[in-house]
Amino acid sequence: MDVSLFERYLLGKAAQGDTVLIEYSSLYPVETVAWGEVIPLLIRSGGLVVCDFFGIGDMLFRKHLRRLPGKKYSEFVELIKDVRVIKVGPGAGTYGETIDELVPTYDPHTFLRNYHAVMSKISRLPEKPKFFITFGLGHYVHFNPDDALKSILTGVGNIPMEDLISVHFVNGDILKSTNLAILEEIATFVMKLSRSGLIVLKESDEV
């Protein structure tokens, strides 16, 4: 994958408050891009918080870690040790520092309350992160599409992440096209990972 394209968009074009959707297929080895390229790039460029639904991010992390040779393994573990993690639902937490654990909810009011608490906690971190990454957001939507999307829209509509750049890795194969379209509509940038490279499907006309 061309790292310079991620640099161009995530570090150059994306601004605070923007949302970047990175879609991938179930058959695509997304861990090689997410943990091998994007997260190291963002850590070195301002720090980040990972919101991990159902341990999807952790499973991808361990898949990537197992393929690293000795020296790179140690360097990578050292690099990601200060990543802050918010766990949503079951799943292991074998990377970074867990700062909160939440039970998945599909009630918009409860989601909004949890969302506000998380944003407040992030704002009080000693070193304020620049990026907010999610794994498993598509899985969260898949299990209860209507209520999940209502909850997401309620949260984003009432408490926008104006100080952060949000990057969401979403498995497009598990979502209905209409549900994916809602996520695409509220995103500033939409990208798709493919074997032929990174495809930019949407970007702001103002950029």
Side-chain angles (χ1 to χ4, degrees):
M1 189 64 61
D2 186 0
V3 176
S4 64
L5 198 54
F6 283 117
E7 291 176 350
R8 179 184 175 193
Y9 279 89
L10 299 181
L11 304 185
K13 291 194 170 189
Q16 290 177 312
D18 282 346
T19 299
V20 182
L21 202 66
I22 301 179
E23 301 173 9
Y24 64 92
S25 162
S26 297
L27 299 180
Y28 186 88
V30 66
E31 67 276 3
T32 62
V33 172
W35 286 104
E37 298 178 17
V38 173
I39 287 180
L41 176 69
L42 300 186
I43 289 174
R44 298 185 181 104
S45 305
L48 55 87
V49 171
V50 173
C51 185
D52 197 345
F53 288 85
F54 310 114
I56 299 299
D58 187 76
M59 286 185 279
L60 296 174
F61 165 76
R62 285 183 279 124
K63 284 173 67 178
H64 175 68
L65 199 62
R66 286 196 298 267
R67 288 165 174 77
L68 293 178
K71 184 178 179 181
K72 288 188 177 181
Y73 182 103
S74 301
E75 291 174 348
F76 183 71
V77 170
E78 180 67 20
L79 178 67
I80 56 90
K81 70 178 182 180
D82 293 327
V83 170
R84 303 306 204 278
V85 183
I86 298 159
K87 292 174 57 181
V88 183
T94 55
Y95 63 92
E97 175 190 348
T98 299
I99 61 172
D100 209 348
E101 296 188 34
L102 302 173
V103 176
T105 178
Y106 290 94
D107 172 67
H109 297 293
T110 305
F111 185 95
L112 180 60
R113 186 167 59 249
N114 291 344
Y115 187 83
H116 179 268
V118 165
M119 291 300 102
S120 297
K121 186 165 291 189
I122 291 174
S123 69
R124 295 193 301 269
L125 289 172
E127 295 183 9
K128 197 169 183 180
K130 184 177 178 180
F131 299 95
F132 182 83
I133 316 297
T134 70
F135 290 103
L137 185 63
H139 299 70
Y140 169 73
V141 173
H142 167 75
F143 293 130
N144 190 339
D146 291 345
D147 289 338
L149 290 167
K150 287 177 186 176
S151 296
I152 291 170
L153 292 173
T154 299
V156 173
N158 284 276
I159 311 173
M161 296 186 185
E162 296 299 336
D163 295 330
L164 297 166
I165 297 172
S166 302
V167 181
H168 307 292
F169 287 92
V170 174
N171 185 337
D173 286 351
I174 64 175
L175 294 177
K176 292 182 179 178
S177 59
T178 50
N179 296 331
L180 183 59
I182 292 174
L183 297 179
E184 291 173 335
E185 181 180 16
I186 62 177
T188 315
F189 299 91
V190 178
M191 304 176 176
K192 186 170 184 177
L193 295 170
S194 70
R195 296 287 183 179
S196 58
L198 181 66
I199 303 169
V200 179
L201 301 176
K202 175 187 176 182
E203 60 180 297
S204 172
D205 291 337
E206 297 178 358
V207 176

